[in-house]
Amino acid sequence: MPIKVLLHIGSPKAGSTSIQNALKLNHAQLAARNILTWEPDSSKGPPARTLANRFAPPQRPLLPRERLHFRTRAETVDWSLENWRALSALVKERKPALTVLSSESLFAVGNVNRVLNALRETFSDITVFAYIRDPAEQYKSSLDQVIRDGARFADLPLPTEFRFPSHEVIRDYHDILGKERMIVRNFDRRNLDGGDLITDFFGQVAHVAGTGLEGIESPAAANESLCAAATVWLLGVNETFIRFNTGDDREVLKRRIALLRRLIRSAKLAGLPKLSLGQSPVADWARHNERTAIEYYNTVFFHDQIALEPAPDDTNLPEPGAMRRAMHKWLLEQARAEDLPLVLREAIKAK
């Protein structure tokens, strides 16, 4: 009997946290169908990054949340290998009909053979699953994330510098595994089964497992973006924060993470507008930058799905300085004057 795995690799900012929460929420029901859902030990940082750290280059700096638990990149690799060994032992013990793994951080591993070779230590039948998001929406969402991670305005990538999750990663998996072992879906809600990510995802799980899956529960919304006013306010705070610090800044990081949680979980901020592309040329610039990827996905995978929207043929790219000034204007205009006092009240809590 083949030892089957369905590896969901994101892409980043395309509902991965919701999928991972749904896998945990429906763990027992899936186990009843002999489907194993597994994630690494979460005691030392985000589980999705734990699997990918096995493949991290030594020179990659530690992100703020990694610095809470590790002092060197080598320590993150050792922790990753320990978790990979735990996965292999569990699969050998349980002998599931299908194992489902989810790690959006694996999309950033350039050499997909390293990932496949690691999986082949345990599995003989591998299917790779990815959701692909519109590059403009991906860019906007990624700005929110890197700002939360501490980036300053001068460090934000321009739409022409942003690295959309590389279509070459998907192409490499496709060339090695074949299209029958690839599931690539447009993240556009109009494209999802029932307009719902969880319904769409578990429909694909059921297909790979060869079994029905009824009554799947959907988790609460997860990893929500900040409201636009909080995002822009935090961008100002970042001017005094060192994102890739090499010293021991754990106490600062703990206070910063607590601040982010207050802003994200605030009911008063939840209804405020989030960053919007609106009429800004940012969207066209991001799509123009990824025109090769858009054509690849539309041609190879989305010919029978909702296609990704390309940039207009007459899109003009200004010089980098003008583009950054346009970004500055676009971001600041979204921090509405009436919203900023609410952000400050939530950020500065009286005991």
Side-chain angles (χ1 to χ4, degrees):
M1 291 289 291
I3 306 174
K4 299 171 68 174
V5 63
L6 177 63
L7 175 66
H8 169 244
I9 59 171
S11 61
K13 312 308 296 178
S16 297
T17 302
S18 293
I19 287 171
Q20 289 150 13
N21 287 345
L23 288 169
K24 286 187 286 189
L25 181 62
N26 294 281
H27 173 81
Q29 181 176 342
L30 294 166
R33 296 285 187 175
N34 201 22
I35 298 173
L36 173 65
T37 60
W38 180 89
E39 71 170 18
D41 186 330
S42 61
S43 64
K44 295 185 179 181
R49 190 169 291 132
T50 297
L51 281 178
N53 274 338
R54 173 175 181 167
F55 315 104
Q59 67 274 18
R60 180 178 294 170
L62 297 176
L63 289 168
R65 295 197 182 198
E66 290 179 313
R67 296 200 301 271
L68 287 174
H69 307 284
F70 306 104
R71 297 186 184 275
T72 67
R73 176 55 63 194
E75 290 179 3
T76 72
V77 174
D78 289 342
W79 176 244
S80 179
L81 288 169
E82 185 177 330
N83 277 270
W84 277 91
R85 288 191 290 268
L87 166 64
S88 183
L90 185 62
V91 171
K92 289 174 182 177
E93 175 191 342
R94 299 273 184 90
K95 297 179 175 60
L98 175 68
T99 299
V100 182
L101 305 177
S102 177
S103 172
E104 63 272 25
S105 297
L106 285 173
F107 214 118
V109 177
N111 186 345
V112 303
N113 267 313
R114 295 187 67 195
V115 178
L116 292 174
N117 287 338
L119 291 169
R120 286 174 181 138
E121 294 171 2
T122 304
F123 304 100
S124 59
D125 187 322
I126 302 168
T127 299
V128 172
F129 191 164
Y131 284 103
I132 304 300
R133 193 173 186 179
D134 165 55
E137 290 292 337
Q138 183 99 27
Y139 176 69
K140 180 192 69 174
S141 186
S142 294
L143 286 184
D144 173 85
Q145 184 64 60
V146 298
I147 290 169
R148 279 192 274 173
D149 283 345
R152 301 172 185 177
F153 176 73
D155 302 323
L156 297 181
L158 297 172
T160 50
E161 297 170 339
F162 171 63
R163 286 191 58 82
F164 185 62
S166 175
H167 71 285
E168 294 177 356
V169 171
I170 295 296
R171 186 190 63 195
D172 289 347
Y173 277 121
H174 176 273
D175 291 348
I176 296 168
L177 297 174
K179 193 170 184 179
E180 69 278 4
R181 289 290 180 269
M182 294 292 300
I183 303 172
V184 181
R185 305 276 293 157
N186 187 346
F187 187 65
D188 190 313
R189 185 175 295 277
R190 297 171 299 164
N191 189 67
L192 302 177
D193 184 13
D196 179 71
L197 174 65
I198 301 306
T199 301
D200 192 85
F201 176 78
F202 280 95
Q204 300 297 328
V205 171
H207 175 73
V208 174
T211 184
L213 290 176
E214 295 82 24
I216 293 293
E217 294 184 60
S218 293
N223 201 23
E224 289 288 300
S225 299
L226 290 168
C227 67
T231 297
V232 177
W233 177 80
L234 189 63
L235 189 57
V237 173
N238 289 350
E239 292 298 316
T240 61
F241 178 71
I242 302 175
R243 186 183 184 198
F244 294 121
N245 195 1
T246 56
D248 187 354
D249 60 349
R250 296 184 186 189
E251 290 307 312
V252 171
L253 292 174
K254 289 176 183 177
R255 291 197 296 272
R256 180 182 173 88
I257 290 169
L259 167 64
L260 287 170
R261 286 175 177 161
R262 287 202 301 276
L263 296 177
I264 291 170
R265 296 174 180 175
S266 167
K268 294 180 180 178
L269 301 184
L272 298 183
K274 300 181 185 298
L275 284 181
S276 170
L277 292 169
Q279 299 302 310
S280 167
V282 166
D284 289 344
W285 297 339
R287 291 178 182 130
H288 182 273
N289 189 53
E290 294 300 333
R291 57 196 181 279
T292 301
I294 289 172
E295 181 179 5
Y296 173 78
Y297 286 121
N298 285 346
T299 302
V300 177
F301 293 105
F302 298 163
H303 52 85
D304 58 351
Q305 300 183 46
I306 298 291
L308 294 173
E309 179 182 350
D313 292 337
D314 60 352
T315 298
N316 293 313
L317 299 180
E319 55 88 17
M323 191 175 291
R324 190 162 293 279
R325 288 192 293 274
M327 279 183 59
H328 187 270
K329 181 175 183 290
W330 168 64
L331 287 168
L332 289 181
E333 285 180 345
Q334 298 192 61
R336 302 187 309 180
E338 63 267 32
D339 295 341
L340 286 171
L342 294 175
V343 172
L344 288 170
R345 287 192 190 99
E346 295 303 289
I348 307 170
K349 285 286 190 180
K351 292 184 179 180

